[in-house]
Amino acid sequence: MTVTDGIGGITAAEMSPGAPNYQTLSRRIVDGLELADLSDGTRQGPGVRGDLLAVVRCVTEAIVTAARTNTRVPDRAAARLEAIAARWADRQLPIEVIQHAVHAAAEAVTDLVVGDQHGSDLVAGLHGAGVVLIDALRTLSTAVARGYVNEVRAMTGERRVASQTLVSALLTGRVDPATARRNGVDLADTYVVLAVALGEHPDEQDARVDGSVVARRKLRRVQAELAREPGERALSLLSVDGGTVLVPTTGDEGDGTLDALIDRLGEAASAPVTAAFVAAPRDRIPRAADRAHQLLDLALRLGRGPGLHRFQELACEYQLVQPGPANRHLRSLLDPLQNEPELLDTVDAYFAAQCKRESAARRLGISVSAVRRRLERITALTGLNPDTPTDLWYLRASVVTRIFDPGQVSGAL
């Protein structure tokens, strides 16, 4: 974004060393700005033009005054720019427009400042004028950035607190739609409740850096990615390890949109992201959240890997862990192994290795023949032979039922 035609067709009269016409000069500079970063409606708004005129006039007057008096930019000029920048942040207008206005104004008055230098002290004067220009531009640009960033930080903090309060209310079934609207959120009728686990960033275990700082930065990147989600805003309640995300839905979760979202969150986090989801009407979000997190726990404990896991992929395992007589019976099948924990480890390794004895041996760090002997011992104690399809299924079901204690699971889908 630049001023067209050099400095916007500014006339010699407007640049008169004696009495610059700041009002006319400011209008010419603003008219010469390219405002492509602003939408058509915003660009034509009187508030935007008025702010840009104020910015340009503030900068031109401050720089000329500082150069002629060989002083620093007045504090009131920096404060004025800081206030305007904060207002733009509140209106979510791009900071680039103000910064380019500052630079365009500085460019426009450069000839005026340099033109004040003459005579035998010209070289020293030019050097002094250059120093003043650089210092003034740095001070004014910093004021713009400071005002904008401070306002964004304040807004982000307020919005994050409001968002977390709203998510907490939705998850406990105590949401008030009117309160949500006052916080700028229109509640959807139906949500996808995403239970999310954030894996560790590689640097979290690096002794040379602070792992907690790495984890917080990972979380902020994930939150920023969620904020970019198009359409109605996703609501989240996340820690560095994961949490819950509520995504407004139209009822079609099979189009890959959710998978793509989890992929983007993984890229933003630079860490594995595992998730499971349940879609539910707004008033059933609390139960849906419980179920989504049960599914996520299942996926994690079964070692299903990062990505989005659907209920249909875990339906059998989910049903097996539900409390009841069937669950109790299946859990008891491996009770004879309680006094020989290495046999329980062998069962786990065997299924983790897709029932391949060679792979199980590598996982356990023992020989294949040792795995064979342990499997024979398991058969002798339980009466279940891993080489028989039916017995293998029961062994697998018993392993799954023991993933959760009965008290950890409540209700069925």
Side-chain angles (χ1 to χ4, degrees):
M1 191 179 307
T2 57
V3 178
T4 59
D5 298 324
I7 52 175
I10 297 168
T11 65
E14 292 158 3
M15 298 294 291
S16 169
N21 188 335
Y22 291 115
Q23 183 174 356
T24 304
L25 177 61
S26 299
R27 282 201 302 268
R28 292 289 184 90
I29 294 172
V30 171
D31 288 342
L33 288 174
E34 296 174 4
L35 303 178
D37 288 345
L38 296 174
S39 64
D40 291 340
T42 303
R43 195 180 308 162
Q44 303 302 324
V48 168
R49 181 174 175 79
D51 282 345
L52 291 177
L53 287 170
V55 166
V56 170
R57 179 155 187 169
C58 181
V59 171
T60 53
E61 288 183 348
I63 290 178
V64 171
T65 300
R68 289 181 171 176
T69 59
N70 197 28
T71 58
R72 296 180 60 84
V73 168
D75 290 341
R76 65 179 181 276
R80 174 68 172 146
L81 292 186
E82 194 170 331
I84 294 173
R87 183 162 64 244
W88 275 50
D90 183 61
R91 296 172 62 190
Q92 298 185 19
L93 297 175
I95 188 176
E96 291 89 346
V97 176
I98 298 183
Q99 290 285 27
H100 282 291
V102 170
H103 285 262
E107 178 187 348
V109 296
T110 296
D111 287 346
L112 181 60
V113 171
V114 173
D116 281 347
Q117 314 305 322
H118 54 81
S120 59
D121 294 331
L122 178 60
V123 174
L126 287 174
H127 178 268
V131 171
V132 168
L133 279 169
I134 293 171
D135 180 69
L137 190 56
R138 180 173 57 243
T139 300
L140 297 171
S141 295
T142 300
V144 170
R146 182 171 55 246
Y148 198 94
V149 169
N150 287 346
E151 183 65 19
V152 167
R153 284 176 176 168
M155 288 173 12
T156 301
E158 292 170 1
R159 289 173 182 169
R160 186 168 297 162
V161 170
S163 174
Q164 291 177 344
T165 301
L166 179 57
V167 176
S168 297
L170 285 165
L171 292 174
T172 56
R174 296 196 300 267
V175 67
D176 178 8
T179 301
R181 283 193 294 272
R182 284 197 295 272
N183 284 288
V185 178
D186 290 324
L187 294 177
D189 294 329
T190 306
Y191 282 88
V192 166
V193 183
L194 276 168
V196 178
L198 301 179
E200 285 191 339
H201 186 282
D203 290 345
E204 288 185 55
Q205 296 301 321
D206 190 335
R208 296 169 297 178
V209 297
D210 188 334
S212 62
V213 173
V214 176
R216 288 196 299 271
R217 288 174 178 169
K218 172 188 70 179
L219 175 59
R220 284 197 293 271
R221 292 194 301 272
V222 168
Q223 290 170 330
E225 185 61 37
L226 283 171
R228 284 192 284 270
E229 184 67 5
E232 297 182 72
R233 186 157 53 101
L235 302 170
S236 64
L237 191 62
L238 296 171
S239 70
V240 295
D241 300 316
T244 306
V245 178
L246 304 179
V247 182
T249 179
T250 57
D252 183 8
E253 288 78 51
D255 61 358
T257 302
L258 290 177
D259 298 84
L261 172 61
I262 299 304
D263 289 344
R264 292 200 305 275
L265 295 184
E267 291 176 3
S270 296
V273 175
T274 309
F277 76 91
V278 175
R282 191 170 66 217
D283 59 352
R284 298 185 63 184
I285 284 177
R287 290 190 64 190
D290 288 341
R291 293 165 184 165
H293 280 278
Q294 287 177 21
L295 291 172
L296 176 61
D297 285 346
L298 267 175
L300 291 171
R301 298 193 191 198
L302 291 170
R304 293 295 178 85
L308 182 67
H309 299 280
R310 290 167 166 76
F311 173 69
Q312 54 264 38
E313 301 168 5
L314 298 164
C316 181
E317 291 87 348
Y318 183 89
Q319 195 58 43
L320 287 173
V321 300
Q322 301 307 309
N327 177 274
R328 289 193 295 273
H329 170 68
L330 292 170
R331 287 175 61 85
S332 70
L333 295 179
L334 291 180
D335 284 350
L337 308 183
Q338 292 295 336
N339 294 327
E340 300 187 47
E342 72 277 3
L343 296 183
L344 288 172
D345 292 341
T346 300
V347 173
D348 291 338
Y350 188 64
F351 285 112
Q354 304 297 315
C355 302
K356 294 180 175 62
R357 296 185 182 189
E358 294 81 1
S359 298
R362 286 195 295 271
R363 285 175 175 269
L364 294 167
I366 59 178
S367 67
V368 176
S369 60
V371 171
R372 176 180 53 78
R373 289 193 296 271
R374 288 188 183 185
L375 292 176
E376 290 173 352
R377 176 65 175 162
I378 290 167
T379 299
L381 292 173
T382 65
L384 298 172
N385 184 354
D387 292 329
T388 303
T390 300
D391 288 355
L392 183 66
W393 187 92
Y394 274 102
L395 280 171
R396 173 64 172 164
S398 186
V399 170
V400 171
T401 59
R402 299 166 77 91
I403 287 177
F404 290 104
D405 291 331
Q408 290 181 285
V409 183
S410 58
L413 280 176

